[in-house]
Amino acid sequence: MISSVVRASLLRRGVGIRAQSTWTQVKMGPPDAILGITEAFKRDTDPRKMNLGVGAYRTDAGSPFVLDSVTQAENQLLHEKLDKEYLPITGLPQFTQAAAQLAYGSSSPVLDRLAITQSISGTGALRIGGAFVQRFCEGTPTVYVPGPSW
């Protein structure tokens, strides 16, 4: 990080801060197709429009709408006064077990053969899965990726 004095000096001489950055050689990636839908939504003046691109509820005024169930869950977690410890590397066991039962059914015979890892998001899960395939799958496995994709 450069100081405000150096920054001001560079700007006075017409030298852009970005020109001094290590990152100047990194080209901008393509725009995200899903977020592009949101940008198009913002530009659209049709009063009947609905943004179906991002999975978040909105009010008629376009503000984020938080479901009562989400607020209740947040309050419940606050009252539990959790210790904020790091989770095990594969996530919270009670959560991953419940997710498996939800996905496969609580009496599924495969439950004892599953390997489950909790991730921070859909994109995070894809990253973990991709790294696993790259590291442990021999040969060149076929991976199907939809378009658009994250």
Side-chain angles (χ1 to χ4, degrees):
M1 183 154 170
I2 61 174
S3 73
S4 58
V5 173
V6 172
R7 180 186 308 269
S9 173
L10 290 170
L11 290 174
R12 274 196 305 276
R13 293 184 311 201
V15 177
I17 300 304
R18 181 153 166 77
Q20 303 300 312
S21 171
T22 303
W23 304 103
T24 56
Q25 303 304 316
V26 177
K27 295 189 184 328
M28 179 69 75
D32 182 280
I34 299 296
L35 296 179
I37 293 170
T38 300
E39 294 305 314
F41 172 83
K42 290 177 182 177
R43 290 189 303 272
D44 189 345
T45 58
D46 190 324
R48 301 168 298 163
K49 67 184 180 180
M50 293 192 327
N51 184 355
L52 302 177
V54 177
Y57 292 104
R58 301 277 175 186
T59 66
D60 288 340
S63 300
F65 177 77
V66 179
L67 297 171
D68 288 339
S69 59
V70 172
T71 302
Q72 289 172 16
E74 287 176 331
N75 288 333
Q76 182 179 344
L77 288 172
L78 285 174
H79 289 349
E80 287 182 24
K81 300 186 180 188
L82 301 173
D83 59 17
K84 312 296 189 277
E85 281 289 336
Y86 282 103
L87 294 176
I89 193 74
T90 57
L92 184 65
Q94 298 92 320
F95 175 80
T96 57
Q97 291 166 6
Q101 290 176 5
L102 178 65
Y104 292 92
S106 59
S107 60
S108 174
V110 303
L111 291 177
D112 61 346
R113 300 189 318 247
L114 296 176
I116 301 173
T117 297
Q118 183 177 350
S119 70
I120 59 170
S121 65
T123 304
L126 293 173
R127 172 67 177 90
I128 291 169
F132 181 88
V133 167
Q134 180 184 29
R135 184 170 180 183
F136 295 107
C137 293
E138 293 185 22
T140 307
T142 301
V143 177
Y144 297 96
V145 180
S149 173
W150 289 269

